[in-house]
Amino acid sequence: GRVSEVIDNISSGHLDKVYVEPPRPREGDIRYADGSDWDAGQGENLYYFDGTVWRAFAGGSGAGDYAQLADTTNQTAAVVNTSYGITWNTTAYSQGISVDGTDASKIYFTHSGKYYINFSCLLHSDSSSNKDIWIYPAINGTEITGSGIHHTLASNDHKRTLSKAGIFDITAGDYLQAMWAVDDLDLDLHPEAATAFAPATPSATLSIIQVSQ
């Protein structure tokens, strides 16, 4: 009968796909959620109940999504003291995170959770005057308080790499942008071509790793 079939499946290491959240789960319960009718946070996945919430096995802590993004173009501002979203034209790896097909500055998240995000860019000065740049993250168009970078370049053809990392609380469906503004149009985000002894350098890179649900 059905009971003996379930026992046989469990003994052989098989779990049937579940389409409805169990009404009274116990700590230590394991279920294979279908990800559509029942999405416990990481889509179709294997989950365990920790006594409070369902956690995906991926990553061992409910983690699982990731992305490695870059841009290989020269990015310039059109107007001073105006914020623009840094755009991304290269996705090396991704799961559950994607660049918007219409606005390449927007990065969308499939699942809620906390994400470790590491940003870097290569600045380039086209003149010898002092020029300032501001860079900051925004979620759904709203800047994150206390998260900005501010830097000044002066020498002509001076280059400088900036980087910053942090942990962000993201809700499923949110989009992230790396915003930037300058007070002088002679400051740009600048890629470097490969040489005989070193690989190419993108104008900007972004590494994203989900660390928890």
Side-chain angles (χ1 to χ4, degrees), residues 65-67 69 88 97 107 109 113-120 137-139 144 163-170 175-178 205-211:
D65 288 351
Y66 55 85
L69 310 176
W88 310 96
I97 301 169
I107 301 162
F109 293 76
K114 289 182 173 58
Y115 291 79
Y116 173 80
I117 300 176
N118 189 302
F119 166 86
S120 68
I139 297 177
I144 308 302
S163 65
K164 189 168 185 176
I167 295 177
F168 296 82
D169 193 7
I170 303 288
Y175 68 86
L176 171 75
Q177 290 173 293
T205 62
L206 197 66
S207 303
I208 306 173
I209 302 173
Q210 186 182 17
V211 294

Side-chain angles (χ1 to χ4, degrees), residues 7-38:
I7 293 173
D8 287 342
N9 283 339
I10 293 173
S11 66
S12 64
H14 174 82
L15 288 175
D16 284 337
K17 190 177 292 186
V18 177
Y19 297 86
V20 178
E21 180 178 3
R24 292 183 296 277
R26 296 177 298 172
E27 185 174 357
D29 282 358
I30 298 173
R31 296 292 187 275
Y32 177 26
D34 78 301
S36 179
D37 293 325
W38 177 37

Side-chain angles (χ1 to χ4, degrees), residues 4 11 18 24-25 35 37 43 47 63-64 76 116 119 126 143 151 170-171 173 180:
S4 62
S11 66
V18 177
R24 292 183 296 277
D37 293 325
Y47 296 86
T76 59
Y116 173 80
F119 166 86
D126 268 330
E143 63 190 54
H151 191 73
I170 303 288
T171 299
W180 71 299

Side-chain angles (χ1 to χ4, degrees), residues 87-101:
T87 56
W88 310 96
N89 69 357
T90 302
T91 300
Y93 312 100
S94 69
Q95 176 178 290
I97 301 169
S98 60
V99 176
D100 184 70

Side-chain angles (χ1 to χ4, degrees), residues 60-138:
S61 62
D65 288 351
Y66 55 85
Q68 180 66 44
L69 310 176
D71 189 75
T72 58
T73 66
N74 194 71
Q75 299 198 36
T76 59
V79 180
V80 299
N81 300 324
T82 302
S83 292
Y84 297 92
I86 294 173
T87 56
W88 310 96
N89 69 357
T90 302
T91 300
Y93 312 100
S94 69
Q95 176 178 290
I97 301 169
S98 60
V99 176
D100 184 70
T102 302
D103 183 347
S105 74
K106 294 181 178 180
I107 301 162
Y108 278 90
F109 293 76
T110 303
H111 301 117
S112 299
K114 289 182 173 58
Y115 291 79
Y116 173 80
I117 300 176
N118 189 302
F119 166 86
S120 68
C121 65
L122 180 60
L123 309 182
H124 175 242
S125 168
D126 268 330
S127 67
S128 58
S129 61
N130 282 0
K131 56 195 70 64
D132 287 54
I133 185 171
W134 294 262
I135 303 174
Y136 62 90

